[in-house]
Amino acid sequence: MPQQVNSATRTWLVRWMYAAALAHFVVGVLLPWVGNAALFDGYHQNIEHAFWGALVPAAARAQQVWWLALFGATVQCTALWMGALVRLGDTQKNASAWGWLIAGLLVWAPQDMLISWQAGVWVHVWADSFALVSMLPPLVWLYRLDRKARHA
């Protein structure tokens, strides 16, 4: 019975990680196209005020939209790597694939959160926190399960 539970849980968590990789890819594709949408006015204003205060130069918004578009390509690429590691971890029950995803999160998130916190851009701190909470526990569980299975 515990083996069935582990198998079902593993399947669900692997699907969750595939969904996370796909979500990153979709966000990466959309960023260049929606970065200047009215929906993001509050986001842009938050960043403009964090860096410029009340004296926001006219070109500040255009620069942010450009950075978002550029970041979109980076997120797409990262999503492909993420998907590849999830596939390796899934099909080969390879704990090191999960370990590399964990390492990537632990290298990226603290730095991103610190930089965002220092700039007073709290939306990034919250988004990074969500990413950690939604991906790190499943990855640790998958790592431990596959590592244990390999050494059994």
Side-chain angles (χ1 to χ4, degrees), residues 6-66:
N6 281 346
S7 178
T9 302
R10 185 182 189 285
T11 298
W12 189 89
L13 292 175
V14 166
R15 287 180 183 160
W16 178 258
M17 294 313 303
Y18 276 122
L22 179 61
H24 278 81
F25 188 79
V26 170
V27 167
V29 168
L30 291 176
L31 277 175
W33 302 103
V34 301
N36 203 23
L39 173 69
F40 294 106
D41 280 346
Y43 170 79
H44 290 302
Q45 289 170 357
N46 181 324
I47 292 177
E48 288 164 359
H49 291 292
F51 287 95
W52 300 101
L55 303 172
V56 180
R61 179 68 54 99
Q63 186 178 31
Q64 281 187 69
V65 171
W66 178 78

Side-chain angles (χ1 to χ4, degrees), residues 94-131:
N94 188 332
S96 68
W98 309 124
W100 283 112
L101 285 163
I102 291 166
L105 284 173
L106 294 178
V107 165
W108 159 77
Q111 293 179 77
D112 204 77
M113 293 169 86
L114 176 63
I115 293 164
S116 297
W117 172 74
Q118 288 173 333
V121 183
W122 289 100
V123 68
H124 284 220
V125 175
W126 289 112
D128 295 346
S129 297
F130 174 76

